[in-house]
Amino acid sequence: MKDIAQEINSKFLELGVEIPLEDIEERLDKMINKFKVPKEEARRSVVNYFLKEHNIPRNDFYTGQSESPQKMVSDLNSDGKWANVKAKVVQLWENTHESISQVGLVGDETGTIKFTKWERAELPDVEEGKSYLFKNIVVNEWNGKFQINLNKTSSIESIDEDLEVGSSTATFTGAMVDIQSGSGLIKRCPECNRALTKGACMEHGKVDGIYDLRIKAVMDDGTTTQDAIIKRDISEDITDMTLENAIAMAADALDQGVVLEQMKKALVGKYYTISGSRIERYLLVDSIDQKLALDQAELDELITAAEAV
Ligand SMILES: [Zn+2]
């Protein structure tokens, strides 16, 4: 409530009218706590009260500074700026902090950006693959990268559009040198799709997880390494192992770890060309080709060289 009062106070200040914080808080308190008016309703009502009292036209208050501007994702590039943005939830990531309610990636046709929804913002959960209008988000710069924060003054409205998401795609050729833990046969939360840790979701606790296959691979081309995430369908293709096979293997061995071991045996040391969208340090693989150590052009060159002798 203090936040709302503060916000109302500063919006009036922008219009050159100073309304004591206590006066705003007193009215808000009455509406919210005594009359049980929903917060948004109370805010509107209190604002209208003071607008009338100071003879300020409503338009002056609701336009200009007070409304966050609508932006495209690629324009969310100045620290501390507020904005509204329509975006699709591309991915939800494993949540590593209890003060965070959801973290992941949203995007529109101009690109993608990391988002963090804070627990204390008390906002509804978003779902992967759905599009939303995010209002009053704040842009932050962190290590030279921009991200958006959803806080108490933000809101999330689900919209009836399926937004296209543009992204920077990348290709990498190298040897798969490792497959990291968290790969193989995993379980995901049926509600939020997060990978479970010891049968529990960060957000939803003990749940009846849904099996999935994924590979978190480390690729190396001799000069740099690239982390890659390979989803179920492609994992099945390159390992010749279906999800059903993997579940059966794990059941036989009474150990999910056998699936990871099997994947390592099948893949580590082989050469691949992977391509997909680049997200943070990961390449999300949407196509993969196994390569011989030498490709045809290199072989042709060797043959031509040999014939020339
Ligand atoms: Zn969950």
XYZ file of all heavy atoms in Angstrom, residues 304-309:
38
model
N 42.706 -34.201 -54.338
C 43.299 -33.379 -55.386
C 44.796 -33.211 -55.143
O 45.617 -33.332 -56.054
C 42.648 -31.975 -55.403
O 41.241 -32.146 -55.311
C 42.987 -31.222 -56.670
N 45.138 -32.984 -53.886
C 46.543 -32.809 -53.520
C 47.329 -34.078 -53.818
O 48.440 -34.038 -54.364
C 46.676 -32.421 -52.042
N 46.723 -35.245 -53.476
C 47.401 -36.530 -53.694
C 47.606 -36.789 -55.187
O 48.653 -37.266 -55.620
C 46.599 -37.664 -53.056
N 46.573 -36.445 -55.998
C 46.646 -36.684 -57.447
C 47.689 -35.785 -58.107
O 48.262 -36.143 -59.128
C 45.264 -36.424 -58.079
C 44.327 -37.607 -57.898
C 42.895 -37.287 -58.312
O 42.597 -36.104 -58.618
O 42.075 -38.217 -58.316
N 47.898 -34.650 -57.531
C 48.827 -33.675 -58.122
C 50.285 -34.119 -57.962
O 51.159 -33.669 -58.670
C 48.626 -32.305 -57.504
N 50.514 -35.023 -57.004
C 51.898 -35.442 -56.735
C 52.448 -36.269 -57.886
O 51.779 -37.163 -58.377
C 51.971 -36.256 -55.409
C 53.376 -36.845 -55.223
C 51.620 -35.352 -54.247
